[in-house]
């Protein structure tokens, strides 16, 4: 039986995510891969396990048509005035991850406070519903911050 192997670039195109995101999933152990020379290769079986789809779906990038197969990633930088504001924003969004509805599917949210730049950096990955809800939550925070600034 011949096994199909995919490069990081091929997986990136199939899943419409950045190659660095695929590499991060490999590094984090979320996507099993084998290093061949200087390149990573992922078997069709491991890719299907990672995505929760059948191997046959990944024979061509054009085969990916169902809504669960559409994933997005984003990096969002939010300027904050002080550390407590950063903590409030991070805690609020992380709490929403603990109660996320099942329709968000597999998704992730990573947060980092860059103190020297007064920025909270969020890295998001998930389906469109997850992305819209998370970005909307960030927008609510920004609107509240604007309102507080007007009232001062």
């Amino acid at each position: 039986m011949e096994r199909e192997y995919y490069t990081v670039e091929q997986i990136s195109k199939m899943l419409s995510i950045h190659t660095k995101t695929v590499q991060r999933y490999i590094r984090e152990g979320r996507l099993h891969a084998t290093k061949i020379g200087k390149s990573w290769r992922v078997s069709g079986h491991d890719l299907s396990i990672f995505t929760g789809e059948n191997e046959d779906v990944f024979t061509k990038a054009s085969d990916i048509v169902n809504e669960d197969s559409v994933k997005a990633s984003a990096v969002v930088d939010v300027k904050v005035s002080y550390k407590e504001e950063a903590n409030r924003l991070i805690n609020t969004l992380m709490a929403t991850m603990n109660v996320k509805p099942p329709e968000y599917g597999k998704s992730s949210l990573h947060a980092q406070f860059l103190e020297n730049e007064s920025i909270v950096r969020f890295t998001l990955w998930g389906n469109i519903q997850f992305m819209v809800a998370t970005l909307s939550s960030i927008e609510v925070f920004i609107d509240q911050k604007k309102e507080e600034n007007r009232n001062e």
Side-chain angles (χ1 to χ4, degrees):
M1 181 168 124
E2 186 179 319
R3 290 188 77 176
E4 182 88 29
Y5 286 89
Y6 299 95
T7 65
V8 169
E9 290 77 17
Q10 289 171 320
I11 294 168
S12 170
K13 286 178 185 173
M14 280 189 249
L15 300 179
S16 299
I17 57 177
H18 198 278
T19 55
K20 293 207 183 273
T21 304
V22 175
Q23 291 168 344
R24 179 172 43 98
Y25 292 151
I26 292 169
R27 193 173 51 253
E28 291 174 349
R30 293 170 58 184
L31 175 59
H32 185 266
T34 304
K35 193 146 193 180
I36 299 174
K38 292 184 179 183
S39 302
W40 289 102
R41 297 290 189 269
V42 177
S43 72
H45 175 73
D46 289 327
L47 185 57
S48 68
I49 290 171
F50 174 75
T51 61
E53 298 288 340
N54 295 327
E55 272 184 286
D56 296 339
V57 173
F58 294 99
T59 56
K60 300 187 281 181
S62 61
D63 288 344
I64 301 175
V65 293
N66 72 29
E67 192 175 311
D68 286 339
S69 295
V70 178
K71 301 292 184 188
S73 60
V75 176
V76 180
D77 287 345
V78 180
K79 189 83 168 155
V80 293
S81 302
Y82 45 90
K83 188 174 184 173
E84 290 77 20
E85 185 177 53
N87 288 337
R88 182 176 57 144
L89 176 57
I90 291 169
N91 290 338
T92 300
L93 284 179
M94 294 309 253
T96 63
M97 287 297 291
N98 292 330
V99 295
K100 69 179 181 176
E103 59 265 16
Y104 290 177
K106 292 181 181 178
S107 54
S108 65
L109 168 72
H110 299 279
Q112 179 182 18
F113 177 50
L114 306 173
E115 194 165 8
N116 59 338
E117 299 177 42
S118 296
I119 289 176
V120 176
R121 176 164 292 154
F122 293 101
T123 307
L124 313 168
W125 176 86
N127 67 23
I128 301 301
Q129 290 176 302
F130 167 75
M131 297 298 282
V132 168
T134 306
L135 292 171
S136 295
S137 296
I138 293 171
E139 181 182 32
V140 166
F141 175 83
I142 292 168
D143 289 344
Q144 288 174 346
K145 184 177 170 181
K146 286 178 186 176
E147 187 63 32
E148 289 171 5
N149 289 340
R150 276 188 231 134
N151 293 335
E152 287 180 355

